[in-house]
Amino acid sequence: MADVADRVTRVAADLIESAAAEGARQSRSAKQQLDHWARVGRAVSSHHTAARRRVEAALAGEADLSTLTSEEGVVFNAEISAAIEEQLAGADYGNLLAAQGVTTVALDEEGRIVQYRPDGTSVVLDDTSA
C-alpha cells in the first residue's frame, strides 16, 4: 500500500488563509491546523449519538430546528455553511445565467471588464491594460 501520509491535494484559498491565522494562534502551521480541523470534523461526522441524529434529521428537514440544543445548532450551522460553500465553489454562474438568456459582465484574467453574451460571444468593455 502506498504511503498516503502527505498526498498533494488542492485546498480552497480561504481555508488556507483561515488555517494560517488560526494555526498561528495555536502554534501550528497551516497544514497542521488543516489536519487538526479535518480530524475534528471526521470525529464529529462519524460520531452517531442522539445529538448527531437530531442534527442530521434537522438537515434533512425531518426535525424542527427549535428542537436542537445550542451546541447542536452550532453543528447544524457549520454543516449548512460547508454545504453552501461547496455548492458555490462548484457552480459556474456564467453558464447558468447564459442558459437563461442573461448577459453578464466580469473581470477577465487580465483585469479587463468583459461582457459575456448568452450566445457565447464576448466583448471587452474596458481595455485599460493596453
Side-chain angles (χ1 to χ4, degrees):
M1 182 172 159
D3 182 18
V4 296
D6 285 321
R7 281 193 181 166
V8 175
T9 188
R10 291 182 182 260
V11 177
D14 65 315
L15 290 176
I16 293 290
E17 291 167 9
S18 294
E22 182 62 22
R25 286 190 286 277
Q26 301 292 330
S27 298
R28 295 183 183 118
S29 68
K31 180 195 177 305
Q32 289 169 328
Q33 186 63 41
L34 286 169
D35 289 345
H36 172 75
W37 283 341
R39 287 184 180 98
V40 169
R42 178 181 61 194
V44 169
S45 292
S46 65
H47 195 69
H48 287 282
T49 62
R52 182 66 192 171
R53 286 190 292 279
R54 281 192 299 276
V55 170
E56 289 174 355
L59 288 167
E62 299 165 357
D64 192 83
L65 295 179
S66 64
T67 64
L68 300 179
T69 66
S70 60
E71 292 84 7
E72 292 165 352
V74 169
V75 174
F76 175 88
N77 288 339
E79 290 277 2
I80 292 294
S81 179
I84 290 170
E85 288 181 26
E86 289 168 9
Q87 289 295 319
L88 289 174
D92 185 344
Y93 292 103
N95 284 338
L96 290 172
L97 291 169
Q100 295 176 11
V102 176
T103 298
T104 58
V105 177
L107 294 177
D108 68 6
E109 297 80 25
E110 288 126 32
R112 302 175 300 181
I113 299 173
V114 180
Q115 180 183 66
Y116 297 94
R117 299 178 182 137
D119 65 5
T121 62
S122 62
V123 61
V124 176
L125 300 177
D126 176 27
D127 192 2
T128 58
S129 63

